[in-house]
Amino acid sequence: MPAVSTVTDRPDADYQASLAAIQAAIARFKGCNEQELHELSDDLNELARMAEKLRSGRVEIAVFGEISTGKSALINALCGEQRAAVNVRGGWTKDVWHVPWESAGYCVPGLEQSQVVLVDTPGLNEVDGAHRAEMAHAAAARADLVIFVADSDLNDIEYRALVELAASDKPLLLVLNKADLYRPDQLRDLLALFRGPRLAGVVEPQNIVAAQADPREVEYVIQSADGRTRSEWRRPQPNVEEVKARIVELLSADGKALIALNAAIFAADKSDRMSALRVRFREEEAARTIWSFAVTKALAVALNPIGAADVIGGIAVDAAMVVTLGRIYGIQISTNNARSLAASIAKSAGLVTVFEAMVSWASSAFKALTVGLGVVVTAVPQGAAAGFGSFIVGQAARYYFQHGASWGAQSPKQVVSQILANTDKQSVLDRLKGEIMKKLALNRHAK
Ligand SMILES: Nc1nc2c(ncn2[C@@H]2O[C@H](COP(=O)(O)OP(=O)(O)OP(=O)(O)O)[C@@H](O)[C@H]2O)c(=O)[nH]1
Ligand SMILES: [Mg+2]
């Protein structure tokens, strides 16, 4: 077997690689929790559809554009029969329709069972049409080739949509439809305008063509042999030949590679979205966990009348927090190791532990001797300080797990001092005090 793949092997290899990329993206969903699955269910469905499309070798051409520009009429003209509903009323197409383009009698080289499908989409600028515009965008995202239909000079919405579509790197055809409504010189000027600087780098000049998908009836004056004249209204034939020719050229040139590339980009996009979402959920969960343990610690220390238990309980709370954080980041850590990690972070934070221990020692005697008011006066700052210590231990442990159970290029001390520098200590203490006061107030009411 030759070591270097030949030109004809290439699309096949790309095709298989794309299918593998889609399947890998689908497999990654298996690791999602319920909340993630709920949020990503549309993406998962789209990936499954893309996998099916790739396996069956279906080529999708999405027809996109503002309302009433003649998208459905163009599909009918390409098929040579009435397949999509056309109407003078704007906003007629309400859903995304797939119309097999059998009459093209065409299949992509290398994909012998390929079926070309024209995808009709709802018009862009509709009132209440946000949802439909979304559907149209999703159809364009899946398509292998996009046809943008305009019927006059481009307005701002059309221009922005074109730029957005061009960013996806799939072939983009701009069709100036309703050519029958223009004089030849007007049509020439419009096409020249489209092929000018505004769309340079957005649509390639050879991908800008004119069409008349459903020309209006025109009056013909017919002169008979005896010189008498009569008039008759006739509808000229649709003319979409240039559009058809350009589609076939594009697909023949690199149809299979194009489909493969499109699917690979699609899979990569979905994977990125999934990763971003998982990171977001994980970070939110980590933040919630740290805060809830910090509050637990603050309450335990504030409400516990025995000083020694403050310290012992404190370490246990921190160790449990570290184990929980490890689990969130997919890292198993034993309670003993968690305890040492928490202790070493606390040691790096120096001030916090000393402070915590001192306050704990100094006030425990006071707490034991006094009742009521004494507890409130000392317990609140003491508990808040202990909670703050846990908060810092939690942030540092989170950094450690975020970096795959390592401090990366930094020392633990550097990480902890950065965290301390970036934390608004007063606001964390105030929030913790608030939590303790709430709990104390509840206790009093209970009494
Ligand atoms: N004069 C002329 N009219 C056309 C041509 N193509 C379409 N039309 C008319 O334009 C109107 C809208 O056509 P549709 O095909 O329904 O347009 P659409 O873009 O699918 O519209 P929505 O689905 O509502 O967004 C209809 O009245 C068509 O007859 C054309 O080439 N020339
Ligand atoms: Mg339509």
Side-chain angles (χ1 to χ4, degrees), residues 336-355:
N336 266 344
N337 288 343
R339 195 189 299 264
S340 334
L341 183 65
S344 78
I345 295 170
K347 200 168 151 215
S348 301
L351 240 176
V352 179
T353 38
V354 173
F355 180 57

Side-chain angles (χ1 to χ4, degrees), residues 41-59:
S41 67
D42 284 351
D43 299 80
L44 187 56
N45 288 340
E46 282 176 29
L47 269 175
R49 278 221 296 273
M50 186 53 124
E52 185 271 320
K53 166 184 182 305
L54 208 54
R55 255 185 249 113
S56 64
R58 194 169 65 241
V59 183

Side-chain angles (χ1 to χ4, degrees), residues 71-73 85-86 92-93 120-121:
K71 301 177 291 299
S72 302
V86 170
W92 194 251
T93 304
D120 196 6
T121 69

